[in-house]
């Protein structure tokens, strides 16, 4: 069993750290928010007084922070406090350039690193069924895999440093675009007098099938577990979808990829957020496409 420093004990970090404790690891946690430390302590995480305190003597460091700037600031603070050969795993969703810079900061000090963003949300973090998309050397991945296991349903090694973040934003760009496409199809069906169930029965078994309709259908009824049946409570909040779409656009601009539908989806989710729906599930965009508020 390992001693693991866990930095960033928010909505995702706290249940992830709890699963590492349950698996028998010693977990030392740090966060800036006292309430989050209190929750961690209730989950038998040992509370450290600082990031460097958490990292001192640890075998593994996991970060679960809001954005690239936070990850780089924390890495600059803690890397030199870690023991030689410590494994750094960053599971935050951040821009590819910052992920690569974080790899360089840690490897320059003799550490092993992977970027390992997740999908599966708070539910997956609690259940220990997250999908991890990992980027880093074979050696770092081999060491990270058993550490990630208690938090994971699936772990995919995507390539070298930054590849996990690349996979995450490509996947979520598909998701954002496909949810808008599915929403538009239901709105058109309504205008044509076609029932939600009829469109679902056809499209979910035909060439229109995709996760956004088959698993996460944005109208109530056909998929009883989708957020549409629960007043569009997240699930996956529109604010997080916008964050990921913006990261995809940033990466597209830097790499020269042409992503016109990704750009359009970013603008539509920006408008949806600007109208105050940042805490609505991202599938609630169907109501915006109808010209309604999600509660209508
Ligand atoms: P969150 O805001 O709940 O948690 C982030 C935590 O980091 C906060 O508790 C904050 O206090 C802490 N923090 C910030 N700076 C710090 C510092 N310098 N030192 C120590 N702690 C610091 O966010 P979250 O929902 O847990 O998401 C974390 C990451 O996971 C984000 O990058 C997000 O995009 C990604 N993610 C979230 C979800 C989700 O459904 N919430 C799903 C997939 C991926």
């Amino acid at each position: 069993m390992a001693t693991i420093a866990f930095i960033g004990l928010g909505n995702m970090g706290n249940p992830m750290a709890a699963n590492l404790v349950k698996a028998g690891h010693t977990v030392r946690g740090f966060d800036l928010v006292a309430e989050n430390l209190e929750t961690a302590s209730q989950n038998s995480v040992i509370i450290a007084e600082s990031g460097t305190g958490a990292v001192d003597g640890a075998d593994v460091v996991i970060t679960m922070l809001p954005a690239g700037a936070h990850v780089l600031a924390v890495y600059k603070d803690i890397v030199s406090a870690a023991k030689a050969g410590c494994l750094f795993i960053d599971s935050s969703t951040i821009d590819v350039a910052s992920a690569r810079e974080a790899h360089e900061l840690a490897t320059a000090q003799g550490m092993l690193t992977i970027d390992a963003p997740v999908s599966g949300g708070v539910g997956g973090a609690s259940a220990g069924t997250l999908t991890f998309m990992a980027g880093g050397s074979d050696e770092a991945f081999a060491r990270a895999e058993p550490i990630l296991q208690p938090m994971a349903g699936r772990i995919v090694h995507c390539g070298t440093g930054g590849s996990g973040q690349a996979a995450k934003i490509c996947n979520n760009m598909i998701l954002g675009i496909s949810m808008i496409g599915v929403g538009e199809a239901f709105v058109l069906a309504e205008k044509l007098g076609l029932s939600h169930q009829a469109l679902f029965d056809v499209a979910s078994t035909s060439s229109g099938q995709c996760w956004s309709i088959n698993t996460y259908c944005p109208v109530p009824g056909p998929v009883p577990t989708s957020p549409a049946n629960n007043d569009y409570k997240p699930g996956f909040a529109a604010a997080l979808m916008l964050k990921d779409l913006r990261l995809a656009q940033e990466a597209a601009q830097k790499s020269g990829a042409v992503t016109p539908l990704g750009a359009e989806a970013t603008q539509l989710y920006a408008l949806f957020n600007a109208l105050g729906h940042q805490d609505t599930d991202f599938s609630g965009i169907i109501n915006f496409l109808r010209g309604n508020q999600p509660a209508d």
Side-chain angles (χ1 to χ4, degrees):
M1 287 299 137
T3 298
I4 301 172
F6 206 115
I7 300 177
L9 297 161
N11 294 323
M12 295 292 288
N14 245 329
M16 290 165 73
N19 282 325
L20 291 170
V21 171
K22 277 186 211 148
H25 296 295
T26 300
V27 181
R28 292 207 302 253
F30 179 67
D31 195 288
L32 300 176
V33 176
E35 197 184 328
N36 293 344
L37 291 175
E38 178 57 33
T39 306
S41 163
Q42 284 162 11
N43 294 330
S44 303
V45 170
I46 300 160
I47 303 307
E49 285 185 0
S50 63
T52 48
V55 163
D56 186 24
D59 307 304
V60 180
V61 175
I62 301 179
T63 40
M64 194 53 172
L65 298 162
H70 303 89
V71 173
L72 291 176
V74 167
Y75 269 44
K76 282 173 188 161
D77 182 36
I78 63 174
V79 165
S80 55
K83 71 178 182 188
C86 179
L87 171 66
F88 277 66
I89 301 174
D90 178 40
S91 282
S92 327
T93 302
I94 66 171
D95 60 287
V96 176
S98 295
R100 293 195 169 134
E101 197 178 332
H103 276 276
E104 282 163 19
L105 276 169
T107 51
Q109 299 280 336
M111 310 298 164
L112 287 172
T113 60
I114 63 163
D115 52 295
V118 300
S119 73
V122 176
S126 301
T129 56
L130 293 169
T131 294
F132 283 85
M133 296 151 254
S137 67
D138 289 344
E139 185 190 1
F141 181 74
R143 263 193 64 196
E145 204 173 12
I147 299 291
L148 299 178
Q149 212 77 57
M151 303 181 283
R154 189 144 186 262
I155 305 168
V156 183
H157 189 190
C158 299
T160 54
S163 305
Q165 299 294 350
K168 164 92 186 177
I169 57 172
C170 289
N171 178 73
N172 280 18
M173 188 175 78
I174 297 172
L175 179 62
I177 293 169
S178 70
M179 185 54 80
I180 292 166
V182 168
E184 286 186 3
F186 274 107
V187 171
L188 176 60
E190 288 162 6
K191 296 278 185 205
L192 298 176
L194 181 66
S195 74
H196 290 163
Q197 191 64 48
L199 174 59
F200 178 84
D201 288 345
V202 172
S204 66
T205 54
S206 304
S207 47
Q209 65 184 273
C210 60
W211 191 87
S212 291
I213 188 163
N214 287 43
T215 307
Y216 216 78
C217 189
V219 294
V223 178
T225 51
S226 76
N229 300 279
N230 190 25
D231 289 334
Y232 297 95
K233 293 197 179 78
F236 186 54
L240 288 173
M241 174 51 83
L242 179 59
K243 174 190 170 182
D244 292 356
L245 286 169
R246 283 184 166 149
L247 289 175
Q249 285 306 289
E250 197 182 321
Q253 274 156 21
K254 283 190 178 148
S255 65
V258 181
T259 56
L261 290 181
E264 190 62 34
T266 309
Q267 289 303 313
L268 285 169
Y269 274 103
L271 264 173
F272 189 54
N273 274 261
L275 288 168
H277 303 307
Q278 61 277 2
D279 297 326
T280 301
D281 185 78
F282 82 107
S283 63
I285 200 157
I286 187 172
N287 295 299
F288 170 72
L289 296 169
R290 277 196 199 100
N292 296 342
Q293 298 299 307
D296 288 359

